[in-house]
Amino acid sequence: MATLTNDGPLWTLDLGDDENRFSPDWLTSVETALDDLEATTEPAALLTTGVGKYYSNGLDLDWVGQHFDQLDAYVDRVQSLFARVLTLPVSTVAAVNGHAFGAGAMLALAHDWRVMRDDRGYFCFPEVDINIPFTPGMTALITAKLTPRAALDAMSTGRRYPAADAVAAGLVDAAAPLAELNERAADLVRKLAGKDRTTLGTIKTRLFADALDALRRPNPGG
């Protein structure tokens, strides 16, 4: 499960030490952590990362297969998390420690910035190869953060991007050795921790209004 700690203004959300798939319990742990962060009033910035091989491997397809009748509500909940991170009223950065696949890559994209481990792991949208079309909300999130060329390449090919290629495509902003990853990521947001939350939240909400509208719309399968 995800856990939240802080060191002064920098809050770190550890997504876990396994595949960090979006199980209902895992989603609850992330939502609770964000509740705790948003309940604070002092200057803050958020860094998310994982431990080991994965940042996040995305949707919990095993759970979905056993609870298919709950699929629409599950997808709506995942999209609500994306919308929440996209507009969180503090500066955010994903320290992508390993593989970020599917919804895990989308979660990273929802952050303001991304720094990826330079020697291991892939950033990938495998949906085209596993026959799962992107929802309108997921499409809107990805296209809000990437150029049309990068979005088409990443979404229609299922390509696995190592760090250098992910930087070149604009999927992530920088790459760093694992030993320096969190500190390089923290450097991007720590100095921004004092920004007024109401103002910052409003800026993000207006900047990503179209993506938010699509993410908050009920899953068209329901």
Side-chain angles (χ1 to χ4, degrees):
M1 295 299 104
T3 56
L4 184 68
T5 58
N6 76 295
D7 178 11
L10 181 68
W11 292 75
T12 298
L13 179 58
D14 182 340
L15 301 178
D17 60 2
D18 55 18
E19 293 190 17
N20 305 329
R21 287 186 178 268
F22 289 36
S23 70
D25 287 344
W26 184 90
L27 287 168
T28 296
S29 70
V30 173
E31 292 162 351
T32 299
L34 296 179
D35 288 343
D36 291 344
L37 173 59
E38 291 198 83
T40 66
T41 57
E42 66 270 17
L46 178 68
L47 180 153
T48 69
T49 193
V51 176
K53 186 176 179 180
Y54 295 92
Y55 176 78
S56 171
N57 217 10
L59 300 182
D60 190 340
L61 298 180
D62 289 340
W63 185 90
V64 169
Q66 297 169 20
H67 303 84
F68 200 72
D69 60 318
Q70 301 177 48
L71 175 61
D72 293 336
Y74 172 74
V75 172
D76 289 344
R77 187 177 181 189
V78 169
Q79 294 193 162
S80 292
L81 175 61
F82 295 156
R84 186 173 186 183
V85 174
L86 189 64
T87 57
L88 204 68
V90 300
S91 295
T92 62
V93 63
V96 184
N97 57 290
H99 298 310
F101 273 60
M106 295 176 214
L107 177 63
L109 274 185
H111 291 67
D112 300 332
W113 293 278
R114 290 155 296 287
V115 181
M116 186 173 176
R117 177 177 177 175
D118 65 3
D119 66 335
R120 185 177 182 182
Y122 295 108
F123 202 103
C124 176
F125 299 114
E127 283 77 4
V128 70
D129 293 322
I130 58 177
N131 303 324
I132 301 178
F134 297 91
T135 67
M138 293 172 180
T139 300
L141 169 62
I142 296 168
T143 56
K145 289 300 188 90
L146 302 179
T147 65
R149 176 78 269 164
L152 178 62
D153 289 347
M155 296 171 72
S156 68
T157 67
R159 177 182 174 185
R160 298 184 176 195
Y161 291 79
D165 292 347
V167 172
L171 295 165
V172 302
D173 300 289
L178 179 61
E180 302 173 14
L181 179 66
N182 283 9
E183 191 56 33
R184 287 279 297 277
D187 284 345
L188 294 176
V189 296
R190 189 183 285 113
K191 62 183 177 295
L192 302 173
K195 301 297 183 184
D196 178 75
R197 294 193 188 193
T198 299
T199 303
L200 183 58
T202 300
I203 288 171
K204 292 184 184 183
T205 297
R206 292 175 179 172
L207 181 62
F208 299 115
D210 291 343
L212 289 170
D213 180 64
L215 286 167
R216 290 168 174 164
R217 203 175 301 145
N219 178 35

